[in-house]
Amino acid sequence: MSDVLAVTDHRRGELRDVSYELITAGRQLANETGGDLHIAVISGTVDDFAEKLNRNGVDAVHTVSHGEEFNHDVYTQTITQLYDELAPQFVLTPNSVNGLDYAPAVANQLDLPVVTDTVDLETDGETLIATREMYGGKVETTNELEGDAVVTIRGAEWPKAEGNGDASIEAFDVDIDEDAVGSTVNGFEEVGGGDVDISEADVLVSVGRGIEEEENLSIIQDLADALDATVSSSRPIVDNGWLPKNRQVGQSGKVVTPDVYIAIGISGAVQHVAGMKGSDTIVAINTDPNAPIMDIADYAIHDDLFDVVPALTEEFGG
Amino acid sequence: MKILVTVKEVATVEDEFEIEGTEIADQYLGADLNEWDDYAIEEAVQLQEDGIADEVVTVTIGPEDCEQTIRQALAKGADRAVRVWDDSLEGVDLLDVNAKTEILSAVIEDEDPDLVLTGVQAGDDSFGATGVSVAEEVGYQWGAVVNHLEHDFDDEVASVRRELEGGVEELTDIELPAVLTIQTGINEPRYASLRGIRQAQRKELDVQGLADLGVEESAIESELTLTDMYEPESESDVTVWEGSADETASELGELLRDKGVAP
Ligand SMILES: Cc1cc2nc3c(=O)[nH]c(=O)nc-3n(C[C@H](O)[C@H](O)[C@H](O)COP(=O)(O)OP(=O)(O)OC[C@H]3O[C@@H](n4cnc5c(N)ncnc54)[C@H](O)[C@@H]3O)c2cc1C
Ligand SMILES: Nc1ncnc2c1ncn2[C@@H]1O[C@H](COP(=O)(O)O)[C@@H](O)[C@H]1O
């Protein structure tokens, strides 16, 4: 009988979806170990959050009212204290940008192994079998470890927990050593605004690193013009400064749901897919038949974009 | 200020490949400087050019084959390199975060840098965890997923932007000494110049074993064991259009017209 402690994610007054997904993943593990599922919610309007998190399958919600926004030192100190108090077998956190800012520190401080970005978890109470990807999603691997561990879960892999729960909600009395808090969050800024909103487009002609050179972008623009569509891109195109930030699709860019998304020379890394998998129809043009984008594409052309794109433009009189 | 940059040589995989046991068969693998580390090197070199850093040292855990990648980092402007390798690491198919933390923190303790730059993640096994774990181990402050760093360090503080999800950036001050995990797009990594490549051949590349660093072999035993590797099952029923580019383009054209989204 071993418990699971799951640490939720929120930002600027809102719980993030992965928090509810953590409940599902955590409940599943707790069923397998025969233990309880504890949820921690740290900083912000924790009482309000706790009510929302009290869903089916949660045994206890531990609230820690300390500060408004995420601070990794506060999180690390709180979670290690909760671990000492509750002695869970698994500490589950989201594999979010903030999750990656504390989970490895928690693991190291507690002398536990850390396994990140998991997409599937299974345990018999002793061995944990964690499934994760390697090589940008080209392969999946299973990894085993014994005993306690810190595990981060990939977003949108587990369904969100639903239904009202009957968890106990307890304020956890944390002892924060302010001297050990060495970073200060001074604010937030939205980036990627501007004249074009790619999330409004019906058809996106989206270009990735397969385009190779900035000059070659003209064939993408020509296609978009011929189709009366909008150009978007994967991250490297924006990192290179070839297109502005407001064209970036993905985890750190925009989430788009057009009628048709044409991914041209884009491999389909998870952070990209997070921004476009809700598109109605996905078409991939890629020389690599094994590219991860093929797993979510509805239609695919396994061919050179420099041949296919001009031919398509010509189809539409471009 | 002294800067240590962690540099990994990552394995790259060809389009078509085969899996043997828990590994991709050797003949389908290539090697490259980790994309995220390239940005970390560039940031360090720019700090040096701005007169803020006096020394930029790289550290790599890897066999002798990696030296080409390490020379690449030296050619871009790092001053010298440390490479850590040991017979006991030979044949280990996965170095987990804890093992890397043990080794890299021993190097940090030796070098005593003010700032450590790592990549957000390694492109091959993508733990995305090494930098923050190392920081905790050596008692440095840290920041994960940094896409902007102010080059002034007033009051021994690094002012950074952390790139969160959905186009939101967090403005954060981090006390030095610190470890920052560097995100792509923070700068424009340079290509090494011919002169840089020539100079790199003469720069110091120091090789250290675990014993040199005072790391016990038992400390680097991975707690995580890789037990299986396979190609993921496709979730969608993808329709693959075959034929010449003209033929496939016209299939796609027809689809777009059917959907009523093309002229
Ligand atoms: C914290 C974090 C956040 C991130 N956020 C985002 C994000 O918001 N958006 C995003 O996109 N990425 C994001 N990334 C980066 C992501 O991990 C990938 O590195 C990136 O998506 C890869 O872009 P790509 O597919 O264009 O390039 P690659 O992965 O290099 O793929 C290029 C593709 O082009 C194909 N190709 C090459 N030549 C041709 C040709 N002639 N014809 C046809 N096909 C060709 C190749 O087969 C390959 O599949 C993030 C990463 C991290 C760590
Ligand atoms: N073998 C290694 N040698 C040197 N640095 C490494 C090594 N493995 C990981 N790192 C560093 O840690 C970062 C994150 O890697 P990871 O946590 O494995 O995804 C990389 O960008 C590197 O800077």
Side-chain angles (χ1 to χ4, degrees):
Chain A
M1 259 224 342
S2 310
D3 293 352
V4 176
L5 170 65
V7 186
T8 56
D9 223 12
H10 60 85
R11 185 186 305 153
R12 300 158 103 189
E14 303 266 356
L15 282 165
R16 303 187 64 242
D17 283 351
V18 69
S19 299
Y20 301 110
E21 297 159 17
L22 278 159
I23 295 176
T24 306
R27 184 65 257 167
Q28 178 217 323
L29 279 181
N31 287 345
E32 290 169 2
T33 60
D36 286 344
L37 173 61
H38 298 265
I39 299 291
V41 56
I42 306 168
S43 307
T45 52
V46 289
D47 295 328
D48 170 45
F49 290 154
E51 239 164 82
K52 294 191 170 124
L53 291 165
N54 187 357
R55 295 205 173 171
N56 252 333
V58 180
D59 295 299
V61 182
H62 304 271
T63 62
V64 178
S65 177
H66 191 284
E68 276 311 303
E69 292 291 344
F70 174 76
N71 176 292
H72 64 229
D73 294 309
V74 172
Y75 268 59
T76 305
Q77 291 187 34
T78 303
I79 298 162
T80 49
Q81 289 173 34
L82 273 167
Y83 178 84
D84 288 342
E85 168 104 7
L86 301 170
Q89 182 172 0
F90 302 118
V91 178
L92 283 191
T93 85
N95 196 70
S96 56
V97 171
N98 283 346
L100 291 175
D101 200 40
Y102 69 82
V106 169
N108 198 65
Q109 193 165 331
L110 295 173
D111 243 331
L112 297 180
V114 58
V115 50
T116 57
D117 206 17
T118 58
V119 297
D120 194 26
L121 295 168
E122 195 188 318
T123 182
D124 57 7
E126 272 162 38
T127 308
L128 177 73
I129 304 177
T131 306
R132 57 193 309 280
E133 293 178 343
M134 274 176 69
Y135 304 110
K138 284 194 151 194
V139 302
E140 250 174 43
T141 62
T142 53
N143 305 266
E144 292 188 11
L145 56 82
E146 308 288 324
D148 294 4
V150 176
V151 179
T152 77
I153 70 161
R154 177 175 287 183
E157 289 290 331
W158 280 266
K160 285 187 256 183
E162 312 270 352
N164 288 336
D166 51 6
S168 61
I169 297 180
E170 299 157 30
F172 180 68
D173 196 12
V174 70
D175 182 16
I176 299 291
D177 174 4
E178 295 291 347
D179 289 340
V181 176
S183 68
T184 318
V185 177
N186 296 315
F188 297 94
E189 205 172 287
E190 311 262 356
V191 295
D195 46 342
V196 181
D197 186 354
I198 55 172
S199 61
E200 300 276 303
D202 296 331
V203 182
L204 283 172
V205 174
S206 204
V207 57
R209 186 144 46 194
I211 198 72
E212 285 170 14
E213 307 270 342
E214 184 170 14
E215 300 86 87
N216 300 339
L217 278 180
S218 60
I219 65 167
I220 301 296
Q221 190 60 57
D222 291 346
L223 175 60
D225 290 345
L227 293 174
D228 201 14
T230 305
V231 174
S232 61
S233 80
S234 66
R235 178 176 190 120
I237 305 300
V238 172
D239 282 346
N240 289 343
W242 298 350
L243 283 176
K245 181 83 187 170
N246 60 14
R247 303 285 178 144
Q248 184 181 318
V249 174
Q251 172 185 310
S252 43
K254 286 240 162 63
V255 174
V256 298
T257 51
D259 297 336
V260 182
Y261 187 88
I262 310 177
I264 304 173
I266 293 177
S267 64
V270 55
Q271 297 92 350
H272 185 78
V273 168
M276 46 65 77
K277 63 170 182 278
S279 305
D280 273 356
T281 300
I282 298 170
V283 182
I285 302 174
N286 198 309
T287 39
D288 178 3
N290 293 316
I293 191 85
M294 298 304 166
D295 294 341
I296 57 152
D298 300 295
Y299 299 90
I301 299 172
H302 298 159
D303 204 351
D304 194 325
L305 73 90
F306 295 105
D307 295 330
V308 178
V309 171
L312 186 57
T313 307
E314 206 172 309
E315 274 267 316
F316 293 94
Chain B
M1 159 184 292
K2 177 172 173 179
I3 304 181
L4 186 75
V5 187
T6 58
V7 172
K8 185 180 189 193
E9 181 181 276
V10 290
T12 56
V13 186
E14 284 178 19
D15 288 359
E16 307 274 356
F17 61 90
E18 277 168 42
I19 296 170
E20 280 174 5
T22 56
E23 283 176 336
I24 290 182
D26 247 1
Q27 66 263 39
Y28 306 104
L29 290 175
D32 208 349
L33 167 61
N34 182 32
E35 184 182 352
W36 282 266
D37 297 347
D38 196 15
Y39 287 86
I41 295 162
E42 177 65 32
E43 198 63 22
V45 170
Q46 288 188 10
L47 283 164
Q48 192 171 44
E49 288 169 348
D50 287 352
I52 294 160
D54 330 297
E55 195 183 19
V56 176
V57 183
T58 67
V59 54
T60 302
I61 308 168
E64 196 174 351
D65 295 348
C66 305
E67 291 198 355
Q68 244 185 321
T69 297
I70 298 172
R71 294 278 174 210
Q72 232 175 302
L74 292 172
K76 287 167 185 254
D79 297 304
R80 62 184 171 86
V82 177
R83 179 172 71 81
V84 182
W85 197 241
D86 204 272
D87 288 345
S88 60
L89 294 168
E90 212 79 55
V92 173
D93 58 10
L94 184 79
L95 260 192
D96 71 3
V97 175
N98 306 57
K100 289 197 263 202
T101 300
E102 288 290 334
I103 298 171
L104 293 174
S105 45
V107 175
I108 292 173
E109 266 148 24
D110 266 4
E111 295 283 346
D112 196 25
D114 304 281
L115 188 65
V116 178
L117 303 182
T118 77
V120 164
Q121 63 173 28
D124 47 8
D125 47 25
S126 307
F127 285 110
T130 303
V132 171
S133 177
V134 165
E136 203 286 330
E137 179 69 21
V138 296
Y140 280 27
Q141 264 300 319
W142 70 84
V145 193
V146 167
N147 73 347
H148 180 78
L149 169 65
E150 290 293 334
H151 284 201
D152 53 21
F153 299 95
D154 281 346
D155 303 323
E156 300 287 294
V157 164
S159 295
V160 308
R161 284 170 179 253
R162 292 182 56 234
E163 185 192 72
L164 307 180
E165 292 84 358
V168 177
E169 296 183 348
E170 182 198 272
L171 283 64
T172 306
D173 283 346
I174 301 168
E175 289 170 12
L176 295 184
V179 178
L180 306 178
T181 82
I182 300 296
Q183 176 63 313
T184 59
I186 188 173
N187 53 40
E188 268 184 60
R190 71 194 63 197
Y191 292 99
S193 63
L194 277 175
R195 187 162 156 266
I197 293 168
R198 263 201 319 273
Q199 283 174 339
Q201 296 308 319
R202 294 194 301 272
K203 288 182 178 170
E204 180 187 334
L205 197 170
D206 182 25
V207 184
Q208 305 216 0
L210 294 184
D212 303 319
L213 292 166
V215 175
E216 305 266 341
E217 264 183 46
S218 59
I220 54 125
E221 258 169 43
S222 284
E223 289 171 86
L224 210 58
T225 326
L226 197 64
T227 48
D228 198 10
M229 180 182 284
Y230 49 90
E231 289 188 49
E233 274 174 47
S234 174
E235 281 167 32
S236 76
D237 285 323
V238 55
T239 303
V240 180
W241 289 313
E242 316 263 359
S244 69
D246 283 333
E247 286 161 350
T248 54
S250 97
E251 296 267 16
L252 175 49
E254 205 173 308
L255 175 84
L256 296 172
R257 288 194 192 94
D258 278 356
K259 300 263 168 205
V261 293

